Amino acid sequence: MFRKYSIQLKYSLMFLVALVMVAAGFFFGVENLKLKQLRNEARAVAEQVVSFRAWVAQSGVVWVDKLTPDFHDFLGQRSIKEGEMMFSKNPALATRELSTIVANSATRATFRVTSDEYRNPANAPDAFETEAIKLFKADDEAKTFEQMAEGKYRYAQPIYVTKACLKCHGKPEEAPPEVIAKYGDQRAFGYQEGDVRGIISVNLPDISLGEVTSSFLNPYTIALVALAFGLTFFYTHRAIINRLKVLTDRAVRIAKGELDEPIVTQTDTNDEIEHVAHAVDMLRRSLVVAMKHLKKG
């Protein structure tokens, strides 16, 4: 059925199909680029949190000289002089407060640290985070877990127990007294170095197709792509379709007996249409010779 259509129509249809395929490829490429951009942004946030927690853990705790209404929780306290107190904050508490500050700021990314062995009910994992924790504990090779849902990109990566962590998460009898006093001696103990303690969970708003596209498309790129397709379409019509129409017209005229006008061709070329035109002209000359012989006979 397709064979009955003209080459011009066939080519136009194929050209449209090619455009659709290019557009589809562009869309999938943009989606992949968007995912990579979100993943890199989330990973950068997570690595900063890891560094912050490592700094606090290596120091043991951080001490502050006053508690604000928004951040009134603390691990331990000590008197520095009469009427003045210092308050300590462990890595989990310091990270949770940093998470709250980030969530209340204008930043795009928010994060939280959570674990299946949480000590503070406010740090309990949600469904996504629970799934991520299970994955990391079951598969040592898994380093990231991600999901796109409800217009948000969610990313998680594991937190591994380091030597500094064992002071508060190793054996209960070796933990600081203030840790036992605040959290008890039953939860989040018994870890070994290298174990998955929990995860860093990062939330980012999804990036629209337009935002990603505008990051690498510009008028010059669009113009070059349009010019490439335009030149291809123009060249195909001029160099193939129009020449085939002219050659068809000449073949019809030869069939009607119009043999005097030669077809100008180039023989030293690899152009297939020129080869066809040369063959048609050879047929014309053969007919001329045959007609002369018939007249002589």
Side-chain angles (χ1 to χ4, degrees):
M1 180 179 177
F2 197 63
R3 294 177 62 183
K4 69 179 182 180
Y5 298 126
S6 67
I7 291 179
Q8 183 173 5
L9 178 59
K10 292 176 184 177
Y11 174 76
S12 298
L13 290 174
M14 292 304 297
F15 190 81
L16 289 175
V17 170
L19 283 177
V20 171
M21 293 176 68
V22 169
F26 174 79
F27 172 78
F28 288 122
V30 167
E31 282 292 315
N32 187 52
L33 177 64
K34 180 185 77 170
L35 186 60
K36 285 185 177 180
Q37 186 172 332
L38 287 168
R39 185 184 299 125
N40 289 339
E41 188 174 350
R43 184 179 288 121
V45 172
E47 292 301 329
Q48 290 172 351
V49 177
V50 169
S51 298
F52 175 75
R53 284 177 61 86
W55 171 74
V56 178
Q58 288 171 2
S59 303
V61 293
V62 293
W63 291 89
V64 297
D65 59 2
K66 67 177 181 178
L67 299 174
T68 64
D70 292 333
F71 306 112
H72 53 78
D73 200 4
F74 61 92
L75 179 64
Q77 58 182 328
R78 67 185 179 190
S79 175
I80 53 175
K81 59 183 179 179
E82 186 177 354
E84 293 188 20
M85 301 290 294
M86 292 286 287
F87 304 92
S88 66
K89 296 179 184 285
N90 59 336
L93 182 54
T95 307
R96 179 156 58 86
E97 294 183 357
L98 176 62
S99 171
T100 302
I101 294 171
V102 171
N104 293 333
S105 69
T107 184
R108 277 172 39 84
T110 59
F111 74 89
R112 65 195 300 264
V113 174
T114 183
S115 171
D116 53 345
E117 286 286 332
Y118 55 89
R119 286 171 170 170
N120 190 324
N123 292 338
D126 60 20
F128 166 81
E129 293 160 344
T130 299
E131 189 175 355
I133 294 168
K134 289 180 179 178
L135 171 67
F136 296 139
K137 287 195 170 184
D139 184 0
D140 293 338
E141 300 298 321
K143 301 302 179 185
T144 61
F145 182 70
E146 58 189 355
Q147 186 180 91
M148 190 76 72
E150 299 179 355
K152 287 187 176 295
Y153 170 77
R154 304 202 63 184
Y155 170 93
Q157 73 178 51
I159 299 174
Y160 296 103
V161 174
T162 64
K163 188 175 182 179
C165 302
L166 295 177
K167 181 179 180 181
C168 297
H169 295 288
K171 297 177 180 179
E173 59 269 22
E174 297 177 357
E178 56 267 27
V179 171
I180 302 300
K182 187 174 182 63
Y183 300 116
D185 61 358
Q186 299 298 313
R187 198 163 183 82
F189 287 108
Y191 286 94
Q192 295 182 357
E193 191 172 353
D195 288 346
V196 175
R197 169 69 185 100
I199 63 166
I200 299 172
S201 174
V202 181
N203 283 353
L204 281 166
D206 191 11
I207 305 174
S208 69
L209 183 65
E211 288 177 308
V212 181
T213 303
S214 63
S215 67
F216 66 91
L217 277 186
N218 55 65
Y220 298 104
T221 304
I222 296 173
L224 286 172
V225 171
L227 180 62
F229 275 108
L231 287 174
T232 302
F233 196 79
F234 173 79
Y235 176 79
T236 303
H237 273 266
R238 183 178 179 84
I240 299 176
I241 296 175
N242 289 345
R243 291 169 65 196
L244 286 175
K245 286 181 178 179
V246 171
L247 187 57
T248 301
D249 179 69
R250 291 302 311 276
V252 170
R253 288 165 59 188
I254 290 172
K256 291 180 179 179
E258 300 178 14
L259 307 176
D260 295 335
E261 184 179 352
I263 300 175
V264 179
T265 61
Q266 295 181 0
T267 57
D268 56 341
T269 179
N270 291 323
D271 189 315
E272 289 83 355
I273 294 180
E274 285 291 331
H275 294 171
V276 174
H278 182 67
V280 172
D281 192 59
M282 288 177 62
L283 176 61
R284 180 194 64 81
R285 285 181 286 174
S286 297
L287 289 174
V288 169
V289 173
M291 292 298 292
K292 289 181 179 180
H293 285 303
L294 288 173
K295 288 179 181 180
K296 288 181 181 178

